Amino acid sequence: MSILSPQTAERVEPALIQTMVDEGLARYQPDPGCWYSVDGLPYGYDIHAPGVETDPEELDLVERAAGVMMACEIGLHIFVSDAAGRPTLARMAQQAARRTDGWVFVEFHRPPSPGLLEYLDDAGGCLRLDEAVYLDAAAMSAWNTHPDFHVVK
């Protein structure tokens, strides 16, 4: 999952580490970039400049909505294709967005219904794209608990 944040990488990384610890993940000492859940699923993150993986038009859209320039892009990863680990990934994205004033990029299996988009709009910030959205922490929290919740990997 991708999160755009107006905070610098130096401020974001401690927030990500705390998020992973709060989710019950443990850092794998031989490779500090890899974290494991209690059930053995591997997770990780990377931080880079905004726009490296985000389309410039989307970046501009998020910056206008947030009213600030984005300083970094956070990538949260689960290193295996395991649907059971995706809710953890989404919870971490929501918490990271909350801690870093970020916006989470969410793709849908199919175009979202108007009702779902209204629900996310009512919950918080929801920036609509064709078959995706950017959600602030409040809207991401609502998505995590919605009956249609899913994570596209």
Side-chain angles (χ1 to χ4, degrees), residues 98-113:
R98 183 182 59 79
R99 288 182 166 133
T100 68
D101 303 315
W103 290 76
V104 182
F105 177 75
V106 174
E107 287 184 272
F108 297 103
H109 289 303
R110 58 188 175 283
S113 71

Side-chain angles (χ1 to χ4, degrees), residues 22-59:
D22 289 352
E23 193 59 42
L25 301 178
R27 185 176 256 170
Y28 181 59
Q29 291 308 317
D31 180 2
C34 192
W35 293 70
Y36 282 92
S37 64
V38 173
D39 51 357
L41 296 176
Y43 295 86
Y45 67 86
D46 58 70
I47 305 168
H48 47 269
V52 169
E53 293 187 19
T54 302
D55 179 74
E57 291 172 5
E58 289 179 20
L59 179 60

Side-chain angles (χ1 to χ4, degrees), residues 86-87 90 106-120 133 135 139-152:
R86 293 178 186 173
V106 174
E107 287 184 272
F108 297 103
H109 289 303
R110 58 188 175 283
S113 71
L116 174 58
L117 292 173
E118 286 178 31
Y119 171 78
L120 296 172
V133 292
L135 302 176
M140 186 65 190
S141 181
W143 175 233
N144 286 345
T145 60
H146 192 274
D148 293 335
F149 168 81
H150 60 274
V151 172
V152 174

